Amino acid sequence: MSDFFKDIKPLSYDPDGSDLGFRHYNPDEVFMGKRMEDHLRFAVAYWHSFAWPGGDPFGGQTFDRPWFGETMDMARLKADVAFEMFDLLNAPFFCWHDADIRPEGDTFAESLRNFEEIIDYLGTKMESSKTKLLWGTANLFGHRRFMSGAATNPDPEIFAWSAATVKACMDATHKLDGQNYVLWGGREGYETLLNTDLKRERQQAGRFLQMAVEYKHKIGFKGAILVEPKPQEPTKHQYDFDVATVYGFLKEFGLESEVQMNIEQGHAILAGHSFEHELALASSLGIFGSIDMNRNDYQSGWDTDQFPNNVPEVALAYYEVLKAGGFTTGGTNFDAKLRRQSLDPVDLVAAHAGAMDVCARGFKAAVAMLEDGTLEAMRDERYAGWESPDAKAMLEGDLASIAAQVAKDGINPQPRSGRQEILENIVNRFV
Ligand code: XLS
Ligand code: NI
Ligand code: NI
């Protein structure tokens, strides 16, 4: 036991009780035949909570954590503290990048040794904790070797290093019984077209993803492979821009039934969409997988990775998640960091507790909207015309046969109201 969290007690559902308890998140409450914990599947992100020093573009480290330092002892202490927090929060899942959990070595072999040792350490910790691995991923963006890309790098040596790293991370995720493996291509994009061969880089990225899928089958990993779209940042343009772009890419490389989406709220906004747009689109394409539940500041215009605090927005997101059938291997990962002035251990716990409560409130509203059924009934009614045999037959016909029918019927079709305000009023009864 470290004494990092000192006298902070484990959190429980306590609707009108202590400051840190959950007001709305009640893991055992059943909705639509399933416990709330099993619907929401919360995960803590190792990187923001335990590896991020609190810097911004104008200043460095603000957090003073006893485990900051590139040694194995520090990495083990970090894991101890992480699992203490998972226990305090009763968190069902966590997520990591290789670079979050192990010190970087001088060689690939040394980094790998460090990594494998820490994976075994995490495995031991998981044996005495309820917290499971939602996903593992490789950090192919932080180190300077990745500055010109990982899979899309102009230098084949970096492609090779990246492939070897993904292999190690997939092995480790499999070993810890992770539910998914994520690929986020932070450096898979460009800074200037003047030095970039788009066609070549696209081919490299496609082959790289195929290799990851092939390796998953080779080792018998049963989890899902997830790609996390983002339009830009750190690169000026990132290739996996949004769900629609990634779908086209998957189709091109024959991966659309092998790969699903990990959709992040803040990335959706950066791409000029809403979160619910990305969720609904992924669902309609059959590639919905998991979510990163972290928002941007709407004034800042970049990926500020803040904990969710807007119940109506979260409600619309979970409405789409529920309509997609809910999570299977996926979950709600808080890819969110504290503000750099939030120095204290209690800030870390309170941030997660508040986020879990915001999600619980949004989720309950989403369930109520779905069970009420008015929204879905109104949508169905809008398309009811397509249920008629004539309408269905029209899609089997051709332009000439349709034109003949229009001439014969002599009907002058009238537009109908889309009822947007009424629908929005209905949502507001629930949130
Ligand atoms: C960065 C991404 C990253 C991924 C995992 O914007 O959200 O944190 O979730 O590499
Ligand atoms: Ni992000
Ligand atoms: Ni993310």
Side-chain angles (χ1 to χ4, degrees), residues 64-271:
D64 187 14
R65 307 295 197 215
W67 58 86
F68 280 175
E70 291 289 298
T71 69
M72 288 299 284
D73 280 346
M74 296 296 203
R76 276 186 287 267
L77 174 62
K78 179 159 51 169
D80 293 344
V81 172
F83 274 81
E84 279 167 33
M85 191 175 87
F86 303 160
D87 290 348
L88 289 177
L89 292 170
N90 188 29
F93 293 103
F94 75 117
C95 304
W96 48 250
H97 303 82
D98 53 347
D100 311 327
I101 57 177
R102 58 102 177 100
E104 178 92 23
D106 290 335
T107 60
F108 186 88
E110 190 188 337
S111 290
L112 183 61
R113 264 198 311 279
N114 292 346
F115 179 58
E116 288 175 341
E117 215 176 302
I118 286 294
I119 288 297
D120 287 341
Y121 192 70
L122 293 181
T124 315
K125 306 228 62 123
M126 287 167 74
E127 279 167 20
S128 54
S129 163
K130 77 174 250 170
T131 309
K132 296 190 267 198
L133 181 62
L134 186 66
W135 45 266
T137 189
N139 180 329
L140 302 178
F141 46 88
H143 194 281
R144 63 192 289 275
R145 75 173 67 86
F146 302 118
M147 69 177 194
S148 311
T152 60
N153 201 289
D155 298 325
E157 294 78 11
I158 306 295
F159 182 101
W161 186 292
S162 306
T165 304
V166 165
K167 177 197 174 290
C169 288
M170 289 181 74
D171 286 339
T173 301
H174 187 37
K175 190 166 193 184
L176 296 183
D177 214 12
Q179 314 257 313
N180 308 272
Y181 184 80
V182 165
L183 293 113
W184 172 65
R187 302 281 173 196
E188 313 293 22
Y190 64 79
E191 300 300 333
T192 171
L193 278 174
L194 296 174
N195 67 10
T196 303
D197 181 342
L198 279 181
K199 187 172 181 190
R200 186 189 287 275
E201 294 201 3
R202 193 180 167 79
Q203 291 298 325
Q204 285 175 213
R207 184 65 198 120
F208 193 89
L209 191 53
Q210 286 172 342
M211 284 180 187
V213 168
E214 287 160 12
Y215 192 65
K216 159 192 156 148
H217 292 301
K218 183 171 175 191
I219 61 175
F221 175 60
K222 294 282 172 279
I225 302 270
L226 305 176
V227 164
E228 184 176 323
K230 187 174 184 181
Q232 81 252 356
E233 199 204 325
T235 54
K236 166 189 162 66
H237 175 90
Q238 196 170 309
Y239 297 138
D240 48 14
F241 198 92
D242 59 3
V243 169
T245 309
V246 175
Y247 186 69
F249 179 86
L250 295 179
K251 286 288 260 190
E252 182 179 340
F253 292 95
L255 296 170
E256 71 274 17
S257 56
E258 292 280 2
V259 176
Q260 297 161 17
M261 296 297 98
N262 182 41
I263 301 170
E264 178 164 315
Q265 198 269 359
H267 298 181
I269 305 295
L270 281 180

